Amino acid sequence: MNDVQIRSAEKALSVGTWLIVAGAMLYSVLTVTPLMTDHTPAEWGWTAPILPLVVDAAVVIVVRLDSVLARLGGHGGRWPIALRWMTGAMTLALNVADSALQGDLVGVAVHAVAPLLLIVTAETGLAYRRAITAAVAALKEEERAEREARRQAAVDREERAERRERERRDHEAQLAREQRDHEAALARERAEHEERVRREEREREEAREARERSERERLQREREQQQRDRERREREVAERRERQGRERAERERREQTERAERAERERAALLAAGPATEKLPEDQARQVVQAAYSAELPVRAASELTGWSIGWVSSRYSELRQSPVLEGAAA
């Protein structure tokens, strides 16, 4: 059975069930309304159809939800069963109540047909739907198993094809690897030969560079030695010049000291002569004035030592003050 046939069967079951439910509801309303009218106050007579409609609405809910649960493969538990049987029992009781109260057994049987048919149809429809759902699930499972089998077969074929292709590639790869190994061996031999030649050339080049480096180092050492000798000679010359300069400076210092001491002695000798009794010669008088000026004697004292006038001595003092060279020499 395919999906079209299954949907057709479900449609027939659904249409038949709802026709029976609609007919039973209509019959129930028509049957129960007079009963409710007789047992309802006159001012509330318009409410007589409400009870059969409520009971029939419960029947519709039960039938509809049972069909949905059956399609989904679920089960509502005990309460849906209780509601289904309770609504069926209430429908049956309300439909046969009027005939039963009148003692009309034929009427009871006639009015019981629609409720019983409704109850049995609801239970049968639920069983049919569950059976159809189970059959559809089984069919889908079988189709799934077939699809899985076909998929697995395709996978197996693909795996076999891949295995054959992999074996072929492995064989080709092995041949290529052997070829590469052979070529690599030849290339390695050539490389070893070239490396050996390069190593020999490099050793010869390193030996030549070592000789050149040794020669350069020897020349460098000789130049450094010559440089050190030249620096040593220059240092000795500089030290000798410095020593000579110090000796010359020391000699000049001693000579200068001796000259200063001699000039001091001469100056002291000139000043120690005392006041002149007569006018000294100009050259000697100038020496005495210079000595007096160096000793910072007053002009009058210098005039007394030379026998010259104070004006002449003042002029010589002025000349000495204006002549730093003479003043330094006198010092």
Side-chain angles (χ1 to χ4, degrees), residues 3-298:
D3 292 339
V4 176
Q5 294 172 333
I6 293 173
R7 284 196 297 272
S8 178
E10 288 182 344
K11 184 176 181 180
L13 177 61
S14 179
V15 171
T17 301
W18 286 112
L19 286 175
I20 293 172
V21 170
M25 288 177 60
L26 179 59
Y27 187 79
S28 177
V29 171
L30 295 176
T31 301
V32 177
T33 299
L35 176 64
M36 296 304 301
T37 301
D38 294 339
H39 292 80
T40 302
E43 64 272 15
W44 293 98
W46 58 272
T47 63
I50 295 177
L51 180 61
L53 289 175
V54 170
V55 175
D56 293 339
V59 173
V60 171
I61 293 173
V62 170
V63 172
R64 179 59 181 166
L65 293 181
D66 283 344
S67 66
V68 173
L69 287 175
R71 178 176 290 275
L72 296 177
H75 192 275
R78 291 176 297 178
W79 285 108
I81 297 174
L83 179 61
R84 188 168 59 249
W85 281 96
M86 186 178 68
T87 54
M90 288 180 179
T91 301
L92 177 61
L94 290 173
N95 277 272
V96 302
D98 189 26
S99 298
L101 291 174
Q102 295 177 7
D104 186 4
L105 297 180
V106 177
V108 171
V110 171
H111 288 91
V113 172
L116 291 175
L117 183 61
L118 179 60
I119 294 170
V120 175
T121 299
E123 293 295 331
T124 305
L126 180 59
Y128 278 148
R129 286 190 177 91
R130 287 177 178 173
I132 291 172
T133 301
V136 170
L139 181 60
K140 290 182 178 179
E141 181 64 23
E142 183 178 355
E143 292 176 353
R144 189 193 64 78
E146 292 178 355
R147 288 195 302 271
E148 183 66 22
R150 288 194 297 272
R151 188 189 65 79
Q152 187 63 36
V155 170
D156 293 339
R157 287 194 300 272
E158 291 178 358
E159 288 181 352
R160 287 194 297 270
E162 290 178 357
R163 185 167 57 253
R164 288 194 297 270
E165 180 65 20
R166 188 167 56 251
E167 290 175 355
R168 184 184 63 79
R169 288 198 302 268
D170 291 342
H171 180 67
E172 293 177 355
Q174 183 178 2
L175 294 178
R177 187 166 53 252
E178 292 176 356
Q179 180 66 23
R180 287 196 302 271
D181 292 341
H182 178 67
E183 294 176 355
L186 295 177
R188 189 164 53 251
E189 291 178 358
R190 286 196 303 271
E192 290 176 354
H193 176 70
E194 293 175 357
E195 179 63 24
R196 186 165 58 253
V197 172
R198 286 196 298 271
R199 186 169 57 252
E200 292 175 356
E201 292 178 355
R202 188 166 57 250
E203 290 176 354
R204 289 194 296 270
E205 182 68 19
E206 290 177 354
R208 183 181 62 78
E209 291 178 355
R211 289 194 298 272
E212 292 178 355
R213 186 167 56 254
S214 178
E215 182 66 18
R216 286 196 301 271
E217 291 176 354
R218 185 182 64 79
L219 295 175
Q220 180 67 22
R221 286 195 298 273
E222 291 179 356
R223 284 195 297 270
E224 292 176 355
Q225 183 63 34
Q226 292 174 0
Q227 180 69 19
R228 287 195 295 272
D229 294 341
R230 185 167 55 253
E231 292 176 355
R232 181 175 53 78
R233 288 194 297 271
E234 291 176 355
R235 193 164 51 252
E236 290 176 353
V237 170
E239 291 176 355
R240 184 166 59 253
R241 288 177 181 174
E242 184 179 359
R243 187 169 56 254
Q244 290 175 356
R246 287 197 300 272
E247 292 176 354
R248 185 167 52 253
E250 182 65 23
R251 186 169 55 255
E252 290 177 356
R253 187 182 60 77
R254 285 198 304 271
E255 291 176 355
Q256 185 178 4
T257 302
E258 290 176 357
R259 284 196 301 272
E261 292 177 354
R262 187 168 55 253
E264 184 66 25
R265 286 194 299 274
E266 291 176 354
R267 198 165 41 244
L270 291 174
L271 296 176
T277 56
E278 60 182 7
K279 191 176 182 179
L280 298 177
E282 185 176 355
D283 293 338
Q284 185 177 359
R286 285 180 176 274
Q287 293 177 358
V288 173
V289 169
Q290 185 175 357
Y293 178 78
S294 300
E296 297 181 355
L297 296 177

Side-chain angles (χ1 to χ4, degrees), residues 296-314:
E296 297 181 355
L297 296 177
V299 175
R300 182 179 296 279
S303 176
E304 291 177 355
L305 291 174
T306 60
W308 287 69
S309 65
I310 294 175
W312 184 82
V313 174
S314 297

